[in-house]
Amino acid sequence: MRVEFRHHAVRDLAWVISSASLIVSEGDETVSDDWCRIAFYDRIPWLRELDSAPDALTAWLSERHNRLLGHYFEALIEYWLRHWRRIEVYAVRLQLREGEQAIGEFDFIFQDRFRDIDYHWESAVKFFLRYRHADGRDEWLGPNPRDTLQNKLTKVFTRQLPLARDPAAKPLLARLGVGPLSSKAFIKGYLFYPSASDWCQPDHVPDQSSPRHLRGWWCHAANAENMPCRNADDRWFDLSRHQWLSPARSREASPGMSREEMLAFLQQHFAGSAKPLLLAGLWCDDTGLWREWGRGFVVADDWPHPARR
């Protein structure tokens, strides 16, 4: 069942709740897609009401405005949890300190009243590109190649999730009145595969990735002419960072750029910048709505090993 929302922030909020997890763990340390699916269907009436009157959500996001996509993602999660009757939020971004030393921070601590479970969530939204080194080794890198999937997994599962078991956390959690915490990773995002490969059905995925993870393509700027195409009359968008979550859409008669215009735009951009760009390709349905069919990163030709500038 497709559920449509008109307002961009509401679509992002629905995406945060309903989209597939990026990664799964061997143990019970990730929020499952089934849990998210049930949560989404429970919240559809609320989301529809919000879509018809989104001022409260837009004001919430405006008060927490930050250029960092991760902060926008967290603000959407917090709004969702605080407006769900089955959830009681105990703390958000709660710092754990020992004396003057900061040990870590709990992203979200809350109770699921329906299940009578106290949860600790660590959240992240991530975008990783599969890069094959000359020796045949694959590595998953962010648009900023210093950000890697392996480093993120190590941080989440060896440092952040065990935080509730740190002896220093016991008095802090006692003051909140919470019992033993069930710590889980709430990680969403996309994995991007080389555009020359079968990026929709890739033959090599990370061991830790969810079977339902969202996917796209990527290419170097020099190969942009060969980027995937659905139809010759598709339209293309250069997505700003706060448009990286839910699929792009438009009701304009001729939104964005044609393929030729996009290729010219890319050539001009990379002539003076090494900043990666996330593009979305859109097709027009029978109602006149342009819908995203796919997305991909175009990166500088020397990515991920840029020459000194």
Side-chain angles (χ1 to χ4, degrees), residues 21 41 46 52 82 166 195 221 266-267:
S21 298
Y41 282 113
W46 172 67
S52 63
R82 290 193 182 278
D166 191 296
S195 61
L266 292 173
Q267 186 176 30

Side-chain angles (χ1 to χ4, degrees), residues 25-40:
S25 63
E26 292 183 359
D28 189 25
E29 293 185 296
T30 50
V31 180
S32 73
D33 288 348
D34 286 342
W35 192 95
C36 289
R37 192 179 301 110
I38 292 169
F40 174 66

Side-chain angles (χ1 to χ4, degrees), residues 180-202:
L181 291 174
S182 176
S183 296
K184 294 184 180 292
F186 185 83
I187 302 179
K188 305 279 179 108
Y190 290 77
L191 296 180
F192 295 85
Y193 298 84
S195 61
S197 67
D198 185 359
W199 60 274
C200 292
Q201 299 292 332

Side-chain angles (χ1 to χ4, degrees), residues 1-4 40-41 44 48 249 283 285 289 291:
M1 180 180 69
R2 174 180 284 171
V3 184
E4 302 281 6
F40 174 66
Y41 282 113
I44 286 175
R48 282 176 170 156
R249 54 181 282 177
W283 67 283
D285 70 13
L289 176 65
R291 298 181 181 275

Side-chain angles (χ1 to χ4, degrees), residues 205-250:
V205 301
D207 293 338
Q208 306 91 336
S209 63
S210 165
R212 296 180 58 248
H213 72 268
L214 302 178
R215 57 207 68 184
W217 51 268
W218 76 270
C219 68
H220 287 109
N223 300 321
E225 288 189 1
N226 299 318
M227 63 188 186
C229 180
R230 186 178 182 275
N231 288 308
D233 57 354
D234 285 346
R235 305 298 294 182
W236 291 84
F237 280 80
D238 165 30
L239 301 178
S240 66
R241 191 166 291 269
H242 280 195
Q243 294 175 315
W244 284 16
L245 301 186
S246 60
R249 54 181 282 177
S250 176

Side-chain angles (χ1 to χ4, degrees), residues 131-155:
Y131 177 75
R132 180 157 292 171
H133 292 271
D135 60 5
R137 175 175 51 91
D138 284 334
E139 189 173 15
W140 293 89
L141 308 174
N144 178 346
R146 288 177 293 183
D147 187 18
T148 73
L149 174 60
Q150 188 55 56
N151 287 346
K152 185 60 185 177
L153 293 174
T154 300
K155 181 179 180 182

